[in-house]
Amino acid sequence: CMQDSVVRVRDRFAAVDLELARFASSSGLACPPGCGACCLSPEVEATVLEMGPMADALVAEGRADATLAALEVAPSPGPCVMYQPDPDDPRRGRCSAYAVRPLLCRVFAFGTRRERSGRVALVSCRTMRAVDPDAMSIVEGNDVLLATAPVMSDHAHALGTDFPGHDAHALPINEALRAA
């Protein structure tokens, strides 16, 4: 049942959010207020499964038709159609579907990867590095703290385990939303 999968993906996202909140609190790292750098990147991808909660919310809020119309004219790959730029500075803005954003959008600022040794390495965005390079260096040098950071591939794998047989192929974010 589609509704069951949406609920289960939302539950997975809630677990990711708790892990992110703990890591953000202990590391002191945070996205710069109003930053839209990742939302404007045409390289952001998600799976159709991850976009299910967003599609469900858009239908429930009566925004599905308008979003589909925006998706029809949006470039793909291109900036996310859910991004609402600030009228004074289009590089600043917010997500109009933040609560139901996909996995990459949740963990991007605190991006980490597991190295072959098992160590977690921080691979966060350039904007965060530019805003607070000292904090980034401190976190990067603290293996104990890094071990508590959410690892995108671990959560993506968990989604695959939760939904065996789903298409785990990532698409440009607008294509994934259209398909959802």
Side-chain angles (χ1 to χ4, degrees):
C1 171
M2 179 62 170
Q3 193 58 35
D4 180 51
S5 65
V6 166
V7 169
R8 290 173 46 208
V9 171
R10 283 184 184 203
D11 289 347
R12 171 67 58 192
F13 287 171
V16 170
D17 290 346
L18 286 174
E19 194 176 337
L20 283 167
R22 285 192 296 267
F23 180 69
S25 176
S26 62
S27 69
L29 297 179
C31 289
C35 182
C38 54
C39 304
L40 292 169
S41 172
E43 297 173 19
V44 175
E45 295 183 330
T47 65
V48 174
L49 178 68
E50 291 174 68
M51 299 306 284
M54 185 180 293
D56 186 63
L58 292 168
V59 169
E61 296 165 7
R63 298 193 305 156
D65 289 339
T67 302
L68 284 170
L71 286 165
E72 288 303 316
V73 297
S76 187
C80 182
V81 298
M82 302 313 295
Y83 178 68
Q84 292 181 328
D86 181 305
D88 296 327
D89 183 355
R91 292 170 298 151
R92 301 178 58 76
R94 66 179 197 82
C95 176
S96 65
Y98 187 80
V100 289
R101 69 201 184 282
L103 186 58
L104 180 62
C105 300
R106 290 171 188 278
V107 300
F108 185 79
F110 308 104
T112 59
R113 64 177 159 71
R114 192 170 308 283
E115 296 178 335
R116 288 187 182 159
S117 66
R119 180 183 182 273
V120 173
L122 192 62
V123 290
S124 60
C125 81
R126 289 182 284 234
T127 302
M128 282 183 65
R129 289 184 180 284
V131 168
D132 199 347
D134 294 336
M136 296 298 284
S137 292
I138 290 168
V139 172
E140 287 175 317
N142 186 333
D143 285 347
V144 173
L145 181 58
L146 281 172
T148 68
V151 178
M152 172 76 176
S153 60
D154 291 353
H155 289 291
H157 177 74
L159 274 173
T161 302
D162 289 348
F163 300 93
H166 88 281
D167 184 2
H169 179 73
L171 301 170
I173 195 159
N174 292 334
E175 286 182 37
L177 180 55
R178 183 182 299 113

